Amino acid sequence: MRKPVIAGNWKMNMTCTEAIEYMRVLIPLLNDIPKKDREVVIAPPFTALYPLSEFIRGKNDYLSLSSQNVHWEDSGAYTAEVSPLMLNELSVKCAIVGHSEPRKYFSESDEQINKRAKSAQDHQLIPIVCVGETFQQREMGEAERVIRRQIEQGLEGIEVKKLIVAYEPIWAIGTGKTCEANEANRICGLIRKWIGYEDVIIQYGGSVKSNNIDEIMSMSDIDGVLVGGASLDPTNFARIANYEKI
Ligand code: PGA
């Protein structure tokens, strides 16, 4: 039984004050979600993890925090990075790794992503490993080959029972162009087959909105979503977390 995970990735948005204000609005709007059937995760910027962890502590058991990255060393001379131990102290549950933005802007490789994912698991954090093809790769018929490579290299040696994979076609991120639900489902099915573990949680990400969430969550191989832009408004994000299968 796969429990869907609805995750909001705030990227480089929200000060600590704004983050707390957001939670004050969000939490009451989640009162009625079927909490046994789904989990909600918020990935704020690093600076907001501490105040949010204090704010939500003891309030619920379905809402948790994710970091937007994690380093493979526990400490050391790694300017601008965050250690898994720092995240453990704040009761962070997940760590996004391999998002297309650090892959693109900071040339993150599959090897580094693999080290980050392993470090997360070694410290009881669930890695949310992002994979996905560019528009050009899709046009050239290379999407499957690219994603398979990202899966094989990025997940080498990873414990598949403590893992979330997010299929995020890069051309659909922040563009308003959602991948057609059937096609996203097909790719998620392939990823499940390549991983070889039926119960692995596979999210879809890329222009998920309140008006397409119900269709996306009705797909057989999609077990949740990773939401960027539409997670920045708590009312919108609450509607996404309150999805209904159609
Ligand atoms: P988007 O971003 O929802 O704004 O397209 C998704 C993501 O980057 O995870």
Side-chain angles (χ1 to χ4, degrees), residues 11 168-179 204-213 216 225-230 240:
K11 309 191 179 183
E168 299 208 299
I170 295 169
W171 48 272
I173 295 180
T175 58
K177 289 186 208 148
T178 322
C179 181
Y204 167 78
S207 297
V208 174
K209 305 258 182 297
S210 49
N211 62 8
N212 57 24
I213 183 67
I216 292 168
V225 283
L226 184 54
V227 189
I240 291 171

Side-chain angles (χ1 to χ4, degrees), residues 196-208:
Y197 176 55
E198 187 56 30
D199 284 341
V200 63
I201 302 286
I202 306 180
Q203 299 175 317
Y204 167 78
S207 297
V208 174

Side-chain angles (χ1 to χ4, degrees), residues 79-98:
T79 302
E81 292 284 341
V82 72
S83 145
L85 299 182
M86 298 168 186
L87 301 174
N88 286 158
E89 200 179 40
L90 304 181
S91 309
V92 170
K93 187 168 179 183
C94 305
I96 298 174
V97 301

